[in-house]
Amino acid sequence: MANTVLFQHPKKWRDTCDLFALNFHTFHPIEILGYPHAGNDVFHVKGTYEGKEITAYVKVARQEGAGIENEVLLLKQLDLPYIPKILDADFQGTPFVVTSEMPGQRLSVILGDNKDGAALSYMEEYGETLGYIHTLKPNAVPVSDRKFFHSPTDEVLEKLDIAFLKPYFVNMPSDKTLVFTHGDFHYANILWEDHHISAVLDFELSGYGDRDFDIAWALILRPGQKFLKTQEEQQQFLKGYCKYGSYNAHTVQYYMAQIYVHFLRFSGNDLAYVEYVKCWLAENCLTS
């Protein structure tokens, strides 16, 4: 019997590779069920594996440096109940990986508008899980450079009408604590079931990197997100994180500001989000 389809993903929203032309070995696709939004080409599919009909996800490299092989190498090492199982993979020609469909839903779906503040009860486990991931020591390479790792230029700050942040970004943190980082730990890559995390997805950006940047990436509010807006929620996240490790509060705040500025560059039409971010920056990043 096929496993239950948990998500209704969008119909095809951009040109993709031909799924059925890929060099499958152990998994054989039958039908495409949806096209999740992602940087790579991702397909929610029905297919056969070990003689059974199942649903799974196929992630296909869309550009050079997509990290598919890196993700496969790491998933093979991480023996955790909330990590997807690799069903098939190939790196010749167009790299791809097939992973098992995991149970659960995104917190954004579970909470809706979060008007009753229910998100607070999830934040401690959210942070605790990232803290535990940071204790792992798999055989992994350093994380690849990303635009978010760099402080914004004066020109960018002026263009976004936040030139008052120039003195703040002069003092980029120099001390970095290197740990195994997830690289993209945020609500869209975390599934929940019965109030607990049931899946952590997307390890293609994972590797040894800056602990505090990984925390900041998880803590920021993203466009459309209805939780992690309050200091109380953030503190609960950090309380959970501290069950496995420490962090530098100043450095985390610096990286949050750095990431927020990058997000502002493509959030101009979301006036509510732009206002939230600019208020956050003014409240947290003014220098005396």
Side-chain angles (χ1 to χ4, degrees):
M1 180 181 296
N3 51 306
T4 304
V5 176
L6 300 176
F7 293 114
Q8 279 294 101
H9 290 293
K11 295 180 179 179
K12 193 169 186 176
W13 51 280
R14 70 178 179 194
D15 290 336
T16 66
C17 69
D18 181 359
L19 172 73
F20 297 95
L22 296 175
N23 187 30
F24 290 101
H25 304 283
T26 55
F27 177 84
H28 302 285
I30 298 171
E31 177 187 359
I32 299 175
L33 303 173
Y35 299 80
H37 289 284
N40 291 302
D41 286 345
V42 180
F43 305 86
H44 187 201
V45 300
K46 181 189 297 183
T48 57
Y49 177 74
E50 294 184 343
K52 297 180 181 179
E53 187 176 292
I54 64 168
T55 50
Y57 285 90
V58 182
K59 182 187 297 184
V60 187
R62 189 171 175 87
Q63 64 277 322
E64 186 177 351
I68 302 293
E69 188 168 1
N70 182 57
E71 180 169 30
V72 171
L73 291 173
L74 288 171
L75 290 181
K76 287 180 177 179
Q77 297 179 64
L78 302 179
D79 185 20
L80 299 169
Y82 45 76
I83 300 299
K85 176 184 176 183
I86 297 173
L87 306 180
D88 202 348
D90 192 274
F91 309 125
Q92 302 299 318
T94 303
F96 73 88
V97 60
V98 185
T99 53
S100 57
E101 181 170 18
M102 300 295 286
Q105 294 179 311
R106 291 174 176 173
L107 204 51
S108 55
V109 174
I110 294 170
L111 296 173
D113 288 337
N114 191 33
K115 291 181 178 179
D116 58 357
L120 188 62
S121 64
Y122 291 85
M123 293 300 102
E124 188 171 339
E125 182 170 330
Y126 202 174
E128 181 180 348
T129 302
L130 182 60
Y132 182 73
I133 288 173
H134 284 178
T135 69
L136 302 176
K137 300 184 184 301
N139 180 18
V141 298
V143 296
S144 299
D145 187 44
R146 300 171 66 191
K147 62 182 179 181
F148 298 101
F149 294 167
H150 303 279
S151 298
T153 64
D154 288 353
E155 181 182 4
V156 167
L157 295 176
E158 290 170 3
K159 185 175 182 180
L160 294 172
D161 196 25
I162 48 176
F164 67 88
L165 290 174
K166 288 181 183 180
Y168 183 81
F169 283 114
V170 167
N171 299 310
M172 185 173 187
S174 56
D175 295 332
K176 297 182 179 181
T177 300
L178 293 180
V179 299
F180 175 69
T181 59
H182 179 275
D184 202 14
F185 195 88
H186 65 90
Y187 78 95
N189 289 331
I190 315 296
L191 303 182
W192 299 76
E193 187 175 55
D194 298 330
H195 223 93
H196 294 288
I197 287 178
S198 56
V200 179
L201 311 173
D202 290 346
F203 282 81
E204 65 260 32
L205 297 176
S206 299
Y208 286 96
D210 191 325
R211 173 199 65 189
D212 293 325
F213 187 92
D214 216 35
I215 295 172
W217 187 256
L219 277 177
I220 65 162
L221 182 78
R222 287 164 169 75
Q225 189 174 327
K226 304 299 182 183
F227 53 93
L228 280 174
K229 284 185 174 183
T230 69
Q231 188 174 13
E232 187 178 13
E233 289 171 315
Q234 294 171 4
Q235 289 304 313
Q236 279 296 105
F237 181 102
L238 293 169
K239 176 184 176 182
Y241 183 88
C242 285
K243 292 181 180 180
Y244 288 102
S246 59
Y247 65 95
N248 184 310
H250 172 76
T251 306
V252 169
Q253 179 178 289
Y254 180 95
Y255 287 141
M256 289 177 70
Q258 180 175 294
I259 298 164
Y260 271 139
V261 172
H262 281 291
F263 270 62
L264 280 178
R265 299 177 69 179
F266 53 84
S267 301
N269 294 329
D270 190 339
L271 299 182
Y273 183 74
V274 169
E275 180 181 6
Y276 172 89
V277 170
K278 288 189 173 183
C279 286
W280 187 95
L281 292 168
E283 290 172 2
N284 291 280
C285 305
L286 283 176
T287 57
S288 57

